[in-house]
Amino acid sequence: MTTPDTRPTEAKRLADIDWNNLGFSYIKTDLRYLSYWKDGEWDEGRLTGDNRLHIAEGSTALHYGQQCFEGLKAYRCADGSINLFRPDQNAARMQASCRRLLMPELPTDRFIDACVQVVRANEHFIPPYGTGGSLYLRPFLIGVGDNIGVRTAPEFLFSVFCTPVGPYFKGGLTPSNFITSLYDRAAPNGTGAAKVGGNYAASLLPNYEAKKRDFADVIYLDPATHTKIEEVGAANFFAITKDGRRFVTPQSPSILPSITKYSLLWIAKHRLGLEVEEGDVRLDRLGEFAEAGACGTAAVITPIGGIQHGETFHVFYSETEPGPVTRRLYDELTGIQFGDREAPEGWIVKV
């Protein structure tokens, strides 16, 4: 007697997805990309349906944190086409992370090709245009192979998988409140500017404690003095001055260089006509700013309603509504990503 196949069909799996109410959580898609580095070179790479990795127990990724990752998105446009947003910048940032951790770099064309293959293979998982959702891609590179000593790995694995997502912070463009942390995200001369897992492992406890107090996440301060804002949890920070003329974002060697932030710096200057500045954002001068926000691939733009620091709670524009400049930045950025507004040259790769 043949046992009936009770696995859900692809049509059923897709029908079960509520495209208009996606959160930021894992949904298994059909195919992902794998490529191995051994004896000084990368293999040709391939797509696989298996979402489990089989790696050596002595892999440096498991014991010494020799790994890095990226995050980027594919967007469904109104005409049905698909946009990848600035994948060359993700490739360049991953290459910088690899240099910091003594891992082989993946060439930019190989990185983009892998992302394109994964998007094409999972196109039916891209949320429909108008839902606000997107297909999140997670490229990662890890040290593998038989090893026990503290040294660079003998082999490496590069992979890209994807999953449909909605907003990272609940509420999308609704403001969220944050609290400053006594924990440091990264050391002044550590790996803060590299997108490596250790930075995020260190953030789990502060994030947990912030959420217990009903805050969306923590604000990390500069590790040397704890007087200046550096990052917002897993996102970058920006603020708009009270005169509405300046876009300000922190500058520090321990901040991850956000592709979204640098895109917003360009948009603020060239599309909104604002002055832009990377510099110190001091806690004792928050009163200079009318609006503030968190930005990143996952967060897109999340307005910051207020920041709790010690006994003081500082409110920016509103705890319930995004400020007008933040709204314009969001509309311009997402308009470019979804193909509704003209993109600067080289920002969009059509899949």
Side-chain angles (χ1 to χ4, degrees), residues 317-330:
Y317 180 80
S318 166
E319 289 185 75
T320 58
E321 298 292 334
V325 178
T326 301
R327 166 65 75 177
R328 290 176 64 197
L329 288 166
Y330 178 87

Side-chain angles (χ1 to χ4, degrees), residues 74-121:
Y75 305 84
R76 178 73 70 185
C77 301
D79 63 2
S81 63
I82 303 166
N83 282 352
L84 267 180
F85 183 72
R86 308 195 76 179
D88 60 321
Q89 298 302 300
N90 291 95
R93 191 170 62 181
M94 176 168 270
Q95 290 157 4
S97 296
C98 287
R99 289 192 293 271
R100 180 63 179 83
L101 267 64
L102 285 181
M103 301 195 293
E105 299 175 34
L106 191 78
T108 299
D109 58 345
R110 285 286 307 274
F111 180 96
I112 295 175
D113 178 66
C115 292
V116 168
Q117 286 191 49
V118 169
V119 173
R120 286 177 177 165

